[in-house]
Amino acid sequence: MSFSALSRRRLTWALGAVAFAGALSPLSSYAADPLRVGILIPGSKSDKGWMESGYDGLVAAQKAQGDKVKVQMIENINYADMEQALTNLASKNQLVIGVGGQTQAAVLKIAKRFPKTRFSIVGGNKGEDLPNVAGYDVKQAEIAFVAGAAAAMLSKNGAVSYVGGMEIPSIVNAGKEFGKGAAYINPKIKYFENYTGDFDDVAKAKEATLAAIAQGADVHYHILNLGLRGMEQAAKEKGTHIIGSYTDRCGTDPLYIAYSITGVGYQVEYAIGEAVKGSWKPGYKAFGLAMGPKASDMTICGATPAMKTRIEQIKKDIQSGKIQVLEG
């Protein structure tokens, strides 16, 4: 198998970790020893997006758990190298976390080879049911609808855009709901939707954003990793604005006028916390708005009282089923 230089460095470091044979006996039986956690962050832990949120959750979990956990992390892994990275983690840890739905197929495959190791997928969807795999659904489509509503409130031109990475169901559904949320506020809103095919392609994300700006879009939303840099470049050059994803960072960058919180880091904390307590369970688990603001929320930077009231009502209507959204 061919490895990028960065992937090789990460895996070489990881292979140096002390081996540990995990078991699906109660985790409490290891109470005298730290819980060994392996985490795969496929992209950059400083992407200002999904991966950074996951890493922030890992840092928070380490701070909260202290010497109860010992972590082995692999980041920046090519799709072709994902199975080998997960194999390495699974052979040395009791709990393995894949950050991102793009890890799901590889996790399900490797989990069958390591039935005594627990696996949690952050951003996992309903799929094959295995006794040692938990899938945590962030419900991106829910909060994308709310983000679309916020975008429509904030747009001066009556035009908004969305750029997604890989054109997979959860990313496409989020894009559709963003457009629906914008139309919920302004039925005449112009909406532009594009996919780059790669969460990390800066040039394609910039090109897609510039194309939308040329048609009038002045507020942009995304599900990107490092590709977000391209959206930032386009917005900065043309004087438009971005609704950020995953973490509330209001006040840190004038390009960003709102943030959706999708609880990626919260799910990492949850997986580790449950394992430490001995209450980790396999199976699909939906997070989203029903799990509270740490799991899913919307913040408009400098929101008016009217904006806040409207956003809160939309969130309630989604939870009650009055507003129907797609899965993902």
Side-chain angles (χ1 to χ4, degrees):
M1 182 178 291
S2 174
F3 290 84
S4 67
L6 181 55
S7 295
R8 188 178 292 110
R9 287 200 299 273
R10 297 297 180 190
L11 284 175
T12 299
W13 171 85
L15 286 166
V18 177
F20 181 88
L24 265 183
S25 55
L27 284 171
S28 58
S29 65
Y30 297 100
D33 299 314
L35 174 77
R36 292 187 178 270
V37 178
I39 184 166
L40 175 61
I41 298 179
S44 168
K45 67 178 186 293
S46 57
D47 66 355
K48 295 175 72 174
W50 181 288
M51 301 299 162
E52 185 167 340
S53 177
Y55 178 71
D56 289 345
L58 174 63
V59 172
Q62 288 178 295
K63 184 177 180 180
Q65 302 297 341
D67 60 7
K68 294 179 182 178
V69 298
K70 186 172 184 179
V71 174
Q72 175 189 1
M73 182 179 74
I74 299 176
E75 63 168 317
N76 278 317
I77 288 295
N78 296 329
Y79 292 116
D81 301 333
M82 204 171 288
E83 289 182 17
Q84 185 164 346
L86 286 166
T87 298
N88 175 56
L89 292 173
S91 68
K92 297 174 172 64
N93 296 284
Q94 295 163 266
L95 172 68
V96 174
I97 303 171
V99 180
Q102 64 266 50
T103 70
Q104 181 159 321
V107 166
L108 291 173
K109 184 175 180 179
I110 301 305
K112 294 173 184 176
R113 291 173 48 196
F114 292 89
K116 295 183 179 181
T117 301
R118 292 166 169 82
F119 295 81
S120 289
I121 306 166
V122 173
N125 297 314
K126 291 180 180 178
E128 188 175 0
D129 190 15
L130 296 179
N132 61 332
V133 177
Y136 304 147
D137 189 349
V138 298
K139 308 290 284 184
Q140 289 183 107
E142 280 187 354
I143 204 62
F145 184 100
V146 186
M153 293 179 197
L154 295 166
S155 175
K156 296 179 180 179
N157 294 349
V160 299
S161 75
Y162 168 83
V163 179
M166 292 179 67
E167 200 167 350
I168 56 179
S170 61
I171 308 302
V172 172
N173 287 352
K176 292 183 182 302
E177 292 303 334
F178 178 77
K180 285 167 58 179
Y184 187 80
I185 297 296
N186 178 6
K188 295 182 179 180
I189 196 103
K190 293 180 180 179
Y191 172 53
F192 307 101
E193 182 179 335
N194 210 323
Y195 299 89
T196 64
D198 188 328
F199 292 111
D200 297 315
D201 194 315
V202 174
K204 287 184 179 179
K206 181 176 182 180
E207 180 183 355
T209 306
L210 286 173
I213 292 172
Q215 297 178 82
D218 61 349
V219 178
H220 320 292
Y221 189 57
H222 72 93
I223 296 183
L224 297 166
N225 295 334
L226 284 177
L228 177 58
R229 301 289 189 272
M231 178 175 281
E232 289 177 330
Q233 291 169 13
K236 190 171 183 178
E237 288 175 11
K238 300 298 183 179
T240 59
H241 293 90
I242 300 171
I243 292 179
S245 297
Y246 315 118
T247 304
D248 178 2
R249 303 183 191 278
C250 277
T252 62
D253 188 335
L255 278 179
Y256 289 84
I257 52 177
Y259 289 90
S260 66
I261 292 87
T262 44
V264 176
Y266 176 69
Q267 290 187 30
V268 172
E269 289 185 73
Y270 177 87
I272 295 172
E274 290 297 295
V276 169
K277 291 187 294 184
S279 53
W280 181 96
K281 295 179 181 178
Y284 170 83
K285 183 176 179 62
F287 280 68
L289 292 169
M291 286 287 284
K294 287 185 177 181
S296 187
D297 204 1
M298 187 73 222
T299 300
I300 297 177
C301 307
T304 65
M307 287 178 176
K308 290 180 180 179
T309 298
R310 193 74 189 274
I311 289 295
E312 287 303 312
Q313 188 59 55
I314 289 171
K315 286 163 53 182
K316 289 177 182 178
D317 288 345
I318 290 173
Q319 292 184 75
S320 70
K322 184 178 180 180
I323 296 175
Q324 298 283 332
V325 299
L326 297 167
E327 291 293 327

